[in-house]
Amino acid sequence: MDRRAAFFALAALICAVLVPLAEEEFRTLTICVGATYLVLALASFFDHRSRPR
Amino acid sequence: MEDATLIFVVVVALGFDFVNGFHDAANSIATVVSTRVLTPRQAVAWAASFNFIAFLVFGTHVATTIAKDVVEQGVLSIGVIFAGLVGAIVWDLITFWFGLPTSSSHALVGGMAGAAVAKGGFDVLVSEGLRKIGLFIILSPLIGLAVGLILTVVISWAFFRVRRLDRLNKGFRRGQLVSAAAFSLGHGANDAQKTMGIILALLIAGGHVADNGEVPLWVVLAAHTAIGLGTLAGGWRIVKTMGSKITRLQPAGGVAAETAAAATLFFTSAAGVPVSTTHTITGAIVGVGAARRLSAVRWGVAGRVVWAWVLTIPGAFLISALTYYAVEAFA
């Protein structure tokens, strides 16, 4: 289990929850931060999987 | 008599700003001190200078948000603002005593809200403004963390072929002077404006400035001077927590963390959002540590910090509400 990927995925989930609560002017920012964490979660997951054990 | 009370509360507000500089000086200089780029004495002087000149760079949007978007203007009186300030200062001093890097900004918001609710009930809270502040309580450390992590990865990729590590570190040590200055600039801009907002609210409540009035220049200068002097006085307990207990930093990591936090503060100050400089730099430091591996972050310390964040608004809220009742009883 890659704990770092799980941490980033949780951060992406928090941002997703915040999107409907955010004011219109900050909605795009919230989406961008969430998308960044999703990319980081995927990158961390594949990085962890590709490492020789 | 009322003017004398107003002057007294303005002095208390500037005292809060001083404590804020004192409390948060650690955020600006912890990484510079922990990576031994500057001595503690040089570092506080460096940070204080950039705290002070921040007024030349940024507007007063954050001040306006604090003065007008936390509680309804009608409920603001000298007593409410005084009680709010007392709650924030007492909370800051309690957390300072325990060496916890909590947010002076959230203490201020919690304090203002507590005193206003004690006077006028929960209806006086401005939900739109509090929603904006609440959103960035979560977003600002997350943005700092992501930018800090990405910058660390970019720096690692850019310099992984370099064999002369001593020369590379020397370069980043110089770079840290710039990144620490940028962070201090952001700190001065966002945090000094919170005091400006309080004084603006006081002046509006006292009838010295119109409801839609701007922040007077003397308020801007006084707030930046107070935070600069507070930073000069320094806060060493928190330097230790921020600089080495969350994760061990190298000069390159220090540059990444401070640049990430400075970028977040520049954005939020321009957008008029009062954020916690403490949350932002803590997120950025965690991001730098997490770029290596998640276990490089000492989660026990980070968790203690998170608990202090969770308790800040309710803690300051409660102290301010009690202070307001005491003020009312004795006034």
Side-chain angles (χ1 to χ4, degrees):
Chain A
M1 173 66 187
D2 177 16
R3 284 188 300 161
R4 187 163 58 177
F7 175 76
F8 292 148
L10 177 68
L13 187 70
I14 291 170
C15 291
V17 172
L18 287 176
V19 170
L21 303 173
E23 285 176 300
E24 192 64 45
E25 58 176 317
F26 297 119
R27 207 160 280 171
T28 313
L29 173 74
T30 313
I31 293 169
C32 289
V33 176
T36 306
Y37 274 103
L38 195 61
V39 171
L40 287 173
L42 288 172
S44 185
F45 173 75
F46 287 118
D47 174 56
H48 184 75
R49 229 175 59 154
S50 66
R51 281 172 197 266
R53 262 157 250 281
Chain B
M1 178 62 189
E2 194 168 303
D3 277 352
T5 318
L6 191 136
I7 291 168
F8 170 70
V9 184
V10 168
V11 172
V12 175
L14 292 173
F16 171 78
D17 210 14
F18 180 88
V19 172
N20 182 301
F22 185 84
H23 195 269
D24 288 4
N27 300 338
S28 321
I29 60 170
T31 61
V32 196
V33 174
S34 72
T35 56
R36 299 201 179 122
V37 174
L38 293 177
T39 64
R41 205 179 288 269
Q42 290 169 330
V44 285
W46 184 253
S49 321
F50 285 93
N51 274 171
F52 180 73
I53 63 163
F55 78 93
L56 297 170
V57 184
F58 295 95
T60 54
H61 303 296
V62 177
T64 310
T65 303
I66 288 286
K68 298 171 183 172
D69 292 350
V70 176
V71 296
E72 278 177 15
Q73 295 221 273
V75 78
L76 287 174
S77 64
I78 296 173
V80 166
I81 296 168
F82 174 71
L85 279 168
V86 169
I89 291 172
V90 170
W91 182 259
D92 260 3
L93 292 176
I94 291 171
T95 55
F96 175 73
W97 178 256
F98 289 105
L100 291 173
T102 56
S103 163
S104 307
S105 323
H106 297 156
L108 187 63
V109 171
M112 288 278 283
V117 166
K119 185 184 179 189
F122 281 93
D123 290 344
V124 301
L125 299 177
V126 178
S127 65
E128 200 177 300
L130 288 172
R131 237 172 67 192
K132 182 162 80 174
I133 294 167
L135 176 73
F136 277 87
I137 284 179
I138 301 169
L139 272 192
S140 67
L142 284 180
I143 295 172
L145 195 158
V147 178
L149 188 145
I150 291 166
L151 278 177
T152 307
V153 172
V154 169
I155 288 170
S156 305
W157 282 351
F159 296 101
F160 81 100
R161 283 182 197 281
V162 176
R163 294 275 173 264
R164 300 278 306 270
L165 281 179
D166 51 336
R167 261 176 90 174
L168 188 64
N169 269 337
K170 204 174 166 190
F172 277 111
R173 277 171 196 273
R174 288 201 186 121
Q176 253 192 298
L177 290 176
V178 179
S179 59
F183 180 73
S184 298
L185 203 64
H187 172 223
N190 207 292
D191 278 8
Q193 282 199 48
K194 288 155 195 157
T195 303
M196 288 180 217
I198 292 291
I199 298 175
L200 178 64
L202 264 172
L203 295 175
I204 293 172
H208 295 276
V209 170
D211 277 3
N212 54 358
E214 293 290 312
V215 187
L217 181 64
W218 70 265
V219 175
V220 176
L221 290 174
H224 281 285
T225 304
I227 200 167
L229 290 175
T231 300
L232 263 181
W236 306 114
R237 280 167 180 272
I238 299 174
V239 166
K240 214 173 149 197
T241 305
M242 299 294 291
S244 61
K245 281 193 182 170
I246 293 176
T247 190
R248 290 199 77 79
L249 286 175
Q250 296 297 319
V255 168
E258 281 158 0
T259 308
T264 311
L265 291 177
F266 288 175
F267 167 76
T268 51
S269 300
V273 186
V275 295
S276 162
T277 47
T278 316
H279 287 200
T280 311
I281 190 72
T282 305
I285 292 174
V286 169
V288 170
R292 280 183 280 157
R293 59 186 197 285
L294 218 52
S295 59
V297 179
R298 293 186 181 124
W299 292 99
V301 176
R304 237 176 99 215
V305 170
V306 169
W307 272 112
W309 290 347
V310 172
L311 292 174
T312 294
I313 288 184
F317 184 100
L318 197 66
I319 297 168
S320 298
L322 293 173
T323 309
Y324 180 76
Y325 290 130
V327 167
E328 281 294 289
F330 288 106

